[in-house]
Amino acid sequence: MVVPHHGTGARLARHRLAAELAPIVTPALLADLVAVLAELVGNAVRHADPLPGGVIRVSWRLRTAHDGQRILLRVTDGGAGVGPRIRPADRDAADGRGLHIVSGLASRWGVERDGLGQSVWAEFDPVPTTRPDLVVAG
């Protein structure tokens, strides 16, 4: 999906993700997915340029692997001068914990760059689903 490079983009992405995956994954996993997506979109809005048209691309995919279903979240923006990285956060700091949250909830995360910008992704290892026969791509 495409959302505005604005705070409302995170809300739109969270709501659509929750609506599409609620019937498929456990409530605990859904909460983790929504939290990670909110962090990734929020970081794109705060720290990166938009894609042409003032937007951010957001996607998710449920993939079947040999050991179960995996969920991959991806947020693509126009990139920034400095790529995303985990940085030390003072316990009294108002920000700086977003990628710590992503790292703590997702199985792994990373950054890919191309000529248009960058994609930050987070993957969740085999997940219990309420509908193991269903594959959803957002």
Side-chain angles (χ1 to χ4, degrees), residues 46 87 89-98:
R46 280 188 298 282
R87 58 186 168 117
D90 185 270
R91 68 176 162 198
D92 296 326
D95 61 2
R97 293 177 183 81

Side-chain angles (χ1 to χ4, degrees), residues 1 9-27 29-38 58-60 71 73 130 134 136 138:
M1 77 181 285
R11 181 178 50 82
L12 293 169
R14 286 191 324 264
H15 285 277
R16 182 153 172 207
L17 175 84
E20 288 190 16
L21 296 185
I24 302 167
V25 302
T26 64
L29 176 59
L30 185 61
D32 289 351
L33 293 166
V34 167
V36 167
L37 187 66
V58 179
S59 66
W60 49 89
I71 295 181
L73 303 177
T130 58
L134 191 58
V136 174

Side-chain angles (χ1 to χ4, degrees), residues 69-126:
Q69 300 280 358
R70 297 179 188 275
I71 295 181
L72 177 68
L73 303 177
R74 181 178 298 272
V75 174
T76 304
D77 56 48
V82 176
R85 68 188 188 299
I86 294 179
R87 58 186 168 117
D90 185 270
R91 68 176 162 198
D92 296 326
D95 61 2
R97 293 177 183 81
L99 290 177
H100 289 280
I101 292 169
V102 171
S103 180
L105 296 176
S107 302
R108 68 197 127 284
W109 70 277
V111 181
E112 297 171 359
R113 291 178 183 80
D114 62 22
L116 296 176
Q118 69 185 9
S119 294
V120 181
W121 55 268
E123 187 172 47
F124 293 75
D125 276 344

